[in-house]
Amino acid sequence: MMHESSAFPLPSASRPDMTTYEYYEHSHAPRINTDTVLVESLKRQYPQLELTVVESIPCDLLSYAASTGQAKVTPIIDAKEPLSEPLSWTTFAPPARRMDGAQGLVVEKLKFGKFLYAWKEHDFILYVANGRDGSNYFPAVVNQYLLGPVDGDSKSLISDCGAWALALHDEIWVFDGGMWQKDSALYKSVQKASWKDVILDESMKEALQDDVNRFFDSRERYSRLRVPWKRGAIYWGPPGNGKTVSIKATMKTLYDRKDPIPSLYVRSLSSFAGPEYSIKTIFKQARLEAPCLLIFEDLDSLIGDDVRSYLYNEMDGLQANDGVLIVGSTNHLDRLDPGMSKRPSRFDRKFEFPKPNVGERIKYAEFWQKKLRDNEEIEFPDSLCSAIAGITDGFSFAYMQEAFVASLLAIAAQEADDSGHLQADGDLDNLVLWREIKRQVKILREEL
């Protein structure tokens, strides 16, 4: 890694770091062009080295070193020169969830610093500077100034860092606020999804899985038939009947493949540049990540009249969408524009998610029976599953879930006693869960 005796003319008492002085001097008044000031200063200070200016997004060299261990970073500090210390702002990052017991973190936001940067057999000097000019606060401009021998292979370092930054690391691409962001929370949620927990007609469940897997396994077949390797499917039906959980199970299955397929999830088209810009950015990323699964939930509310033509242009236009499988969901198929719901070249498969039948409602009750198996306060015999299914005709899975959750909350609020246990005569009315479920079902049925 880093050689102890560097060949670089590092700053010292006899060779002051004029770039640092000029950065601070430049920052005493409204800035005009910080980048130009630093480039001129670094070229004067290190005339024998090659200077490469690297944008921190997406190629953050410090994060690359800290996360991968592929590079070693050492601050350049002269004890006799106070300005050689890195300039940073200290802030507190609160915990994501206080109830988990986390205390939060103290975070340093680097504004200016200089480092020795060792990568493979190459040594560099790295300056990092916040280059915000004038009174503009957005966007934050952080540039990196990489200095090394002319043959120091800086381009390969930047290429490796950029490839690492663009790759997913236990994350899912989520589009929100006009930009793609890596979401680890959604990834963790997807990892808990499984088709065995999806309660649907078995033939439909198989059709959903086969439709997705067959598409991603059929690239050569599409090529032989001279048709574009792209597909679209719409999941439709009343809310709360398995569309979202099926999408998550599909995402999990694709990540578990021998050749993992990434998922791109569109949460909103709202953007500082308008929804048209969002549509363009969404498909640009999908083409970059292909083969991939591109997900638009709640199509009827997401795609309004103002952006529908932009969506169609991206789906049908000159740009190739090879390897992109689009899955859209809607609670109201009749509200979709016919150009979306009835044109086969866009969404050629439609899967209906109806309200569960009695057999599926029994399976859902059995799902809760399994969840509560270790709870000694709740008696949940097999006969209760059929009874619950019998009184929830017309309920979606979401309404059934609400009945269970509301019942358990009501029971938890009651004083502890033995009323939750099954009596010898086996009468269901002696079960506190059954009595509470009936009460909650009556309340919910009035809302239907």
Side-chain angles (χ1 to χ4, degrees):
M1 298 298 282
M2 183 63 64
H3 307 304
E4 291 187 6
S5 57
S6 175
F8 297 146
L10 299 178
S12 63
S14 60
R15 189 192 301 272
D17 184 358
M18 295 307 299
T19 298
T20 298
Y21 282 104
E22 292 191 31
Y23 178 80
Y24 277 87
E25 180 67 23
H26 176 65
S27 301
H28 287 168
R31 297 175 177 178
I32 299 175
N33 194 314
T34 305
D35 188 53
T36 300
V37 170
L38 292 180
V39 167
E40 289 181 348
S41 180
L42 289 169
K43 285 186 174 180
R44 286 196 303 268
Q45 187 166 322
Y46 303 98
Q48 75 281 33
L49 300 180
E50 180 182 58
L51 171 62
T52 305
V53 183
V54 187
E55 292 182 312
S56 60
I57 298 176
C59 187
D60 188 328
L61 291 166
L62 296 181
S63 295
Y64 168 71
S67 300
T68 68
Q70 298 297 313
K72 181 179 179 181
V73 180
T74 306
I76 300 174
I77 299 176
D78 183 355
K80 299 179 181 178
E81 177 50 70
L83 290 184
S84 68
E85 291 277 354
L87 172 64
S88 62
W89 290 355
T90 302
T91 186
F92 176 75
R97 284 168 50 93
R98 184 172 60 86
M99 64 185 298
D100 291 338
Q103 299 299 312
L105 299 171
V106 175
V107 179
E108 298 291 332
K109 293 185 177 180
L110 182 67
K111 298 299 176 181
F112 182 84
K114 48 188 182 291
F115 310 88
L116 289 174
Y117 197 97
W119 172 74
K120 296 183 177 179
E121 70 276 12
H122 305 290
D123 291 349
F124 301 91
I125 295 177
L126 175 66
Y127 282 72
V128 179
N130 181 303
R132 189 189 72 221
D133 293 324
S135 59
N136 295 324
Y137 283 83
F138 184 84
V141 178
V142 179
N143 280 342
Q144 304 160 113
Y145 304 84
L146 192 65
L147 297 135
V150 174
D151 60 348
D153 206 13
S154 60
K155 298 297 189 293
S156 294
L157 166 59
I158 296 167
S159 178
D160 281 9
C161 176
W164 168 82
L166 289 176
L168 294 170
H169 309 282
D170 294 342
E171 299 153 325
I172 289 175
W173 283 116
V174 173
F175 189 85
D176 196 12
M179 65 183 68
W180 284 106
Q181 305 166 60
K182 295 178 179 180
D183 193 318
S184 58
L186 180 57
Y187 176 85
K188 291 177 182 177
S189 175
V190 166
Q191 292 306 300
K192 299 175 184 177
S194 172
W195 277 111
K196 65 180 178 59
D197 295 329
V198 178
I199 302 173
L200 289 174
D201 177 81
E202 287 300 321
S203 61
M204 179 177 174
K205 192 187 296 189
E206 289 181 13
L208 290 169
Q209 297 176 74
D210 289 345
D211 186 63
V212 172
N213 290 325
R214 191 180 300 115
F215 171 79
F216 287 113
D217 291 337
S218 300
R219 182 176 184 177
E220 292 183 3
R221 179 176 176 82
Y222 276 77
S223 179
R224 288 197 306 270
L225 295 173
R226 300 293 191 271
V227 293
W229 183 37
K230 62 178 184 177
R231 284 288 308 280
I234 292 178
Y235 296 177
W236 69 279
N241 289 310
K243 297 188 293 295
T244 297
V245 69
S246 295
I247 288 173
K248 284 188 175 182
T250 298
M251 295 165 73
K252 175 66 165 60
T253 299
L254 293 178
Y255 276 110
D256 288 344
R257 287 169 57 107
K258 185 181 297 184
D259 54 336
I261 303 294
S263 297
L264 287 74
Y265 184 90
V266 179
R267 185 167 287 157
S268 167
L269 298 184
S270 298
S271 165
F272 61 92
E276 300 87 352
Y277 168 84
S278 295
I279 291 288
K280 181 179 179 179
T281 304
I282 287 166
F283 277 87
K284 181 180 179 180
Q285 184 71 19
R287 295 175 189 122
L288 174 66
E289 295 288 339
C292 67
L293 176 68
L294 178 58
I295 302 159
F296 291 90
E297 279 209 271
D298 298 321
L299 273 171
D300 52 297
S301 59
L302 195 64
I303 308 298
D305 295 340
D306 54 338
V307 296
R308 188 181 298 123
S309 62
Y310 288 89
L311 174 68
Y312 294 166
N313 286 338
E314 290 295 335
M315 295 180 72
D316 307 335
L318 299 177
Q319 296 262 26
N321 291 322
D322 284 353
V324 179
L325 172 60
I326 302 176
V327 170
S329 69
T330 178
N331 299 332
H332 308 282
L333 185 65
D334 57 311
R335 295 183 185 176
L336 295 183
D337 179 72
M340 185 182 302
S341 61
K342 296 183 179 180
R343 183 164 172 173
S345 62
R346 292 170 181 156
F347 292 97
D348 41 6
R349 289 297 303 275
K350 288 177 277 292
F351 295 94
E352 182 183 6
F353 287 71
K355 292 181 179 180
N357 57 36
V358 63
E360 291 162 350
R361 296 198 301 276
I362 289 174
K363 287 184 178 179
Y364 188 76
E366 290 172 347
F367 167 78
W368 276 92
Q369 182 188 40
K370 183 178 179 180
K371 288 184 67 171
L372 297 170
R373 182 171 296 164
D374 296 330
N375 191 314
E376 297 180 355
E377 299 179 20
I378 300 293
E379 286 283 354
F380 202 142
D382 293 344
S383 57
L384 187 54
C385 295
S386 298
I388 292 173
I391 65 170
T392 52
D393 181 46
F395 272 36
S396 65
F397 289 125
Y399 263 71
M400 291 188 70
Q401 178 183 4
E402 179 61 25
F404 273 101
V405 171
S407 298
L408 293 170
L409 288 174
I411 293 171
Q414 298 170 5
E415 293 185 0
D417 55 33
D418 295 328
S419 62
H421 293 283
L422 185 65
Q423 303 299 315
D425 58 9
D427 186 356
L428 289 180
D429 285 331
N430 289 324
L431 296 176
V432 65
L433 179 59
W434 172 239
R435 296 198 303 269
E436 196 58 50
I437 283 279
K438 287 194 296 182
R439 190 171 74 88
Q440 296 299 333
V441 166
K442 181 180 180 181
I443 294 172
L444 289 170
R445 193 168 292 283
E446 293 174 355
E447 300 177 3
L448 288 176

